[in-house]
């Protein structure tokens, strides 16, 4: 069974067995979906409209505080039918190899950060579900990417 999320111009589907946790702030909101393992997905919406680079740089700085030896690769392209900027990140946590993907896109009324993370071991089980959530995402924005980048 699938649940549907639709708020502030982003919509997607996620499995009913993934636990949602929502936090609302004056300048936006954050939704985190937790699997039964180490895999999770976070969507953060910021109405102050920081640039895509600012969102990603801030996220990277926070991750570097916790994981000193992380490796990352910049990604520019399309995400949820919008032009995006992001990173693919790899690090170790409690001696487990982990992967983290960060993408930022503009919406009509704010900037979105989408971050998904998993231990590589748990990714075998939850990877297909995570991919389905990501593929279902749509963002209404002003900078729609060409469809050949999707």
């Amino acid at each position: 069974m699938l649940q549907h999320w639709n708020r502030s111009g982003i919509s997607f589907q996620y499995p009913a067995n993934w636990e949602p946790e929502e936090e609302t702030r004056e300048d936006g909101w954050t939704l985190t979906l937790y699997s039964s393992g180490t895999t999770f997905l976070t969507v953060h919406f910021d109405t102050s409209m920081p640039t895509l680079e600012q969102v990603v740089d801030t996220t990277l700085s926070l991750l570097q505080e916790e994981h000193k030896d992380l490796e990352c690769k910049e990604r520019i392209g399309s995400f949820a039918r919008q032009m995006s900027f992001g990173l693919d990140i790899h690090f170790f946590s409690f001696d487990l190899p982990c992967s983290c993907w960060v993408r930022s896109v503009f919406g009509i009324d704010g900037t979105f950060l989408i971050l998904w993370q998993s231990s590589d071991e748990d990714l075998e089980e939850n990877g297909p579900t995570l991919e389905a959530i990501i593929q279902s995402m749509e963002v209404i924005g002003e900078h729609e990417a060409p469809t050949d980048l999707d």
Side-chain angles (χ1 to χ4, degrees):
M1 179 176 232
L2 293 175
Q3 300 294 319
H4 188 80
W5 176 266
N6 187 357
R7 184 170 177 188
S8 305
I10 190 169
S11 65
F12 56 91
Q13 295 180 330
Y14 65 93
N17 66 339
W18 281 45
E19 187 68 32
E21 184 177 294
E22 184 179 356
E23 177 185 338
T24 302
R25 298 187 343 227
E26 190 173 307
D27 62 348
W29 52 265
T30 301
L31 171 72
T32 302
L33 300 173
Y34 296 97
S35 73
S36 59
T38 64
T39 305
F40 67 91
L41 179 136
T42 298
V43 178
H44 175 74
F45 180 68
D46 189 333
T47 58
S48 70
M49 291 294 280
T51 68
L52 303 182
E53 292 83 0
Q54 288 171 323
V55 170
V56 171
D57 288 347
T58 299
T59 303
L60 179 59
S61 293
L62 292 170
L63 286 168
Q64 286 174 324
E65 287 177 16
E66 194 169 325
H67 310 287
K68 302 291 184 214
D69 296 326
L70 64 76
E71 298 175 7
C72 63
K73 183 168 183 164
E74 192 174 282
R75 298 291 184 199
I76 299 171
S78 174
F79 183 85
R81 296 178 29 191
Q82 299 297 321
M83 296 303 294
S84 71
F85 178 70
L87 300 169
D88 291 351
I89 302 170
H90 299 283
F91 57 88
F92 282 88
S93 180
F94 301 107
D95 295 328
L96 291 173
C98 296
S99 296
C100 177
W101 300 268
V102 177
R103 298 296 184 269
S104 185
V105 298
F106 286 118
I108 295 289
D109 297 321
T111 307
F112 288 100
L113 165 74
I114 301 97
L115 180 149
W116 56 107
Q117 180 177 312
S118 181
S119 70
D120 291 356
E121 182 179 290
D122 195 37
L123 202 53
E124 285 185 35
E125 179 181 336
N126 286 311
T129 302
L130 193 55
E131 182 65 28
I133 296 169
I134 297 304
Q135 290 299 317
S136 75
M137 284 189 171
E138 291 188 17
V139 173
I140 298 170
E142 295 179 3
H143 308 294
E144 188 163 326
T147 56
D148 62 344
L149 294 177
D150 287 336

